[in-house]
């Protein structure tokens, strides 16, 4: 296997194939109860435990309670199992269906109005927003102050 990989110009791949990743023991965050999709995670719902993982996947799990507290579960988190960071999302800043301030800024002008997001989103995400006066759907970035910033389209 090493010769074939080295032949194809991938010496680093050959080394990686020759050396299996060694397991490491890490302290990771896990739920003390089942946490369901959409639930906000509180400090009372989690604990830390030692787990033996391969070094390649160890970074994809939450390592401290601060990494998960206040976040929302994307999927069911099983009691006693480490929490993958991909199973968490930020709490929504913008709620689908509510009306928010919408702003378009360019070098020469600023236009403001109202917009209704078509999905809930967190700060920094780009979402579809409907202008209730015209019915036109625009793309907007969610701002920290719950404004929808329309970018040039």
């Amino acid at each position: 296997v090493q010769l074939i990989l080295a032949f194809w110009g991938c010496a680093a791949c050959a080394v990686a194939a020759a050396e299996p990743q060694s397991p490491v023991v890490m302290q990771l965050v896990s739920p003390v109860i089942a946490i369901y999709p959409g639930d906000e995670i509180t400090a009372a719902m989690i604990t830390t435990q030692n787990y033996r993982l391969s070094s390649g996947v160890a970074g994809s799990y939450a390592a401290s309670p601060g990494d998960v507290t206040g976040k929302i579960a994307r999927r069911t988190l099983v009691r006693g199992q480490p929490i993958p960071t991909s199973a968490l999302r930020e709490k929504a800043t913008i709620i689908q269906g509510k009306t928010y301030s919408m702003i378009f800024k360019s070098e020469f002008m600023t236009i403001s109005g109202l917009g209704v997001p078509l999905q809930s989103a967190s700060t920094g995400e780009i979402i579809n927003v409907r202008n209730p006066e015209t019915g036109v759907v625009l793309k907007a970035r969610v701002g920290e102050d719950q404004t929808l910033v329309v970018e040039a389209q």
Side-chain angles (χ1 to χ4, degrees), residues 5 10-18:
L5 292 173
C10 185
C13 295
V15 172

Side-chain angles (χ1 to χ4, degrees), residues 25-103:
V25 176
M26 291 187 64
Q27 191 170 34
L28 301 172
V29 180
S30 65
V32 293
I33 59 169
I35 301 173
Y36 296 100
D39 288 352
E40 182 175 351
I41 300 172
T42 63
M45 300 169 122
I46 56 174
T47 187
T48 55
Q49 294 179 354
N50 288 329
Y51 292 93
R52 180 185 288 282
L53 302 169
S54 67
S55 59
V57 298
S60 62
Y61 292 97
S64 73
D67 294 343
V68 300
T69 304
K71 296 206 176 165
I72 307 298
R74 288 183 190 260
R75 62 179 178 85
T76 302
L77 303 175
V78 181
R79 180 178 157 272
Q81 295 296 313
I83 300 175
T85 54
S86 63
L88 305 171
R89 67 174 171 82
E90 294 292 328
K91 192 171 183 179
T93 305
I94 296 290
I95 307 299
Q96 175 184 354
K98 285 184 67 181
T99 303
Y100 293 92
S101 173
M102 189 166 53
I103 299 171

